Amino acid sequence: MDIFKNRNFVKLFFAALTSQMGSTVGNMAFAFYLLDHFSDQPYYATLAELMYSLPTLFVFFIVGVVADRLDRKVIAEWCDWIRAGLTVVLFLTLLTESLPLIFFILFLRSAVTKFFFPAETSLVQGILRKDQYATAAGLNQILFSLFMVFGVGLGALTYKWIGIHGAVIVDGVSFIASALLIRSCKIPRAVRMPNGPLKRKHLRLQSTMKDFKLGMRYIVKNRLLSLIIFGFFIFGFFQGAFAILPMFTMKYELAPMEYEMYASFFAICLGAGLFIGSACSTFLAKKVQPYLLFIMPIFLASLLICLLGMTQNVWTFLVMASLLGMCIGPVNIVIGGWMPKIVHPKLMGRVSGWIDPVTMLAQSATLAVIAVLFPKLIANVDYLYFGMAIILFMIFIFYAIFLPRKEQIMDEEQKQHA
């Protein structure tokens, strides 16, 4: 692929890979640590996941503005340095065994993370040609698949071999490596600061809110973009549920004595399915309408999630996880290919800044509901899967009604501009 001849892209790609893999290992190890030490209080593991998503609700209105007004390369790099510093603090905090303090550090570190991806996404858009956007989206999907395949498994192995403190060290080293990769990039100033140098007026709260509203109006006026942003809400819903439900299923139902191993197998199967689904959808995209690649997998995913709640065999559960991953891959690639085509480069930061809050709002709400319902109100985790399946089926109906027409309008507009 000629995309790998672009050295800046390669460095940003591996920076994102290194940073996210380290975070996944650390987060999963921490979840296993909580389940081991507080097995009678599973809501602690859910609360830890909430610490990764809740910060979005406090910083979402400025992350996109920061990515569009400040130097995007500097933002991405310093996000890594700050997270590395907070990881050192987290290591020391673990020695105190104070859960409120540990959760607070996790909250702060996650808040910093929210500034990283809008800046990194905007940089990638600026250094690639339009015909490379779909390839980049496919690679990002493969990257996500790798997290699913190796992240939970490595988290479990790291926790078993070197403990929670060792996992936190791995986490910190990953941030440092990511920061060094980003620093080595040579990206034109026009890409780093497409809106020109920062002016004093841009630092005012009034100006920040104006930029935030501009991004919101841009999304609302572009109906296809609005539907795509809502698609990230779906992924937040999915991520929130599957960040914790498989571990609960293994620990309390299917494999109580070996739940770490089978939770890792679940992640491997889901990630392998994502990889296969992403690879297949790359070829199908040339023969099938994008909206079909988007809505049909959502329908199939709703059926598979229902089956996950019905199965009582651990290996059947894992097979279903692989098929579910194959359904998610095409949806991600369709969204990743649409976004750079319909968003102006000068507004990419502000639009990308909406993705995380929408995703994390859904993820936080899902985790909060699970924390409240399980196990006090709903003792059987299977019912949570059935509820997810019903919601996802309703989302399929929504997209089946509205999405085809919006995509047709976009295609007609692109032909007029061509």
Side-chain angles (χ1 to χ4, degrees), residues 365-418:
T366 304
L367 288 168
V369 169
I370 292 173
V372 171
L373 294 180
F374 184 79
K376 291 184 177 180
L377 299 179
I378 297 180
N380 190 332
V381 71
D382 294 342
Y383 293 123
L384 297 176
Y385 288 101
F386 298 148
M388 287 174 56
I390 292 171
I391 293 172
L392 205 57
F393 180 74
M394 293 171 64
I395 291 171
F396 156 73
I397 294 175
F398 171 80
Y399 273 119
I401 294 172
F402 292 104
L403 189 60
R405 177 57 183 162
K406 298 303 177 185
E407 187 196 22
Q408 182 181 354
I409 293 173
M410 184 190 76
D411 291 339
E412 291 174 356
E413 289 177 349
Q414 287 185 341
K415 290 178 180 179
Q416 291 176 359
H417 291 303

Side-chain angles (χ1 to χ4, degrees), residues 59 72 84 118 123 133 150 203 239 337 342 352 362 377 410:
V59 300
R72 292 167 172 173
L123 287 173
Y133 290 155
F150 298 112
L203 298 175
Q239 290 170 10
I342 61 178
S352 299
L377 299 179
M410 184 190 76

Side-chain angles (χ1 to χ4, degrees), residues 98-308:
S98 171
L99 280 181
L101 191 55
I102 291 170
F103 284 159
F104 178 67
I105 300 302
L106 291 174
F107 180 91
L108 288 179
R109 198 175 68 163
S110 180
V112 176
T113 302
K114 307 310 174 187
F115 291 86
F116 178 85
F117 290 103
E120 191 265 347
T121 301
S122 301
L123 287 173
V124 170
Q125 183 196 32
I127 62 176
L128 296 180
R129 304 188 308 268
K130 288 187 176 181
D131 62 316
Q132 294 176 323
Y133 290 155
T135 303
L139 289 171
N140 286 332
Q141 181 58 55
I142 292 172
L143 184 64
F144 183 72
S145 304
L146 290 173
F147 301 151
M148 298 300 298
V149 171
F150 298 112
V152 177
L154 288 176
L157 291 175
T158 303
Y159 176 63
K160 285 291 186 182
W161 289 346
I162 57 179
I164 187 62
H165 297 91
V168 171
I169 291 173
V170 171
D171 211 356
V173 170
S174 72
F175 291 136
I176 294 173
S178 177
L180 292 174
L181 283 167
I182 294 171
R183 173 171 288 191
S184 66
C185 292
K186 296 180 180 179
I187 300 175
R189 187 178 181 84
V191 174
R192 291 158 47 190
M193 303 182 70
N195 293 292
L198 178 69
K199 297 178 181 179
R200 184 175 297 179
K201 65 179 182 178
H202 295 149
L203 298 175
R204 299 172 184 169
L205 179 60
Q206 183 179 3
S207 178
T208 300
M209 294 306 298
K210 181 179 179 181
D211 283 344
F212 173 74
K213 292 177 181 178
L214 177 63
M216 182 172 62
R217 286 197 297 267
Y218 185 81
I219 293 172
V220 171
K221 288 182 179 179
N222 189 321
R223 296 302 175 85
L224 178 59
L225 182 58
S226 299
L227 291 174
I228 292 172
I229 295 296
F230 181 67
F232 286 99
F233 182 88
I234 299 171
F235 285 113
F237 166 73
F238 180 87
Q239 290 170 10
F242 283 92
I244 202 70
L245 280 185
M247 283 191 284
F248 287 173
T249 301
M250 297 304 175
K251 184 170 179 63
Y252 299 107
E253 289 192 3
L254 300 184
M257 303 304 295
E258 298 176 301
Y259 76 95
E260 297 103 327
M261 180 180 72
Y262 284 107
S264 301
F265 285 168
F266 176 88
I268 291 171
C269 291
L270 185 65
L274 277 167
F275 185 88
I276 295 171
S278 301
C280 292
S281 61
T282 302
F283 298 100
L284 289 174
K286 300 176 182 179
K287 300 180 180 180
V288 180
Q289 290 290 336
Y291 75 87
L292 289 176
L293 278 179
F294 186 87
I295 61 175
M296 290 309 299
I298 293 176
F299 170 70
L300 294 175
S302 68
L303 296 180
L304 288 168
I305 290 173
C306 185
L307 292 175
L308 284 176

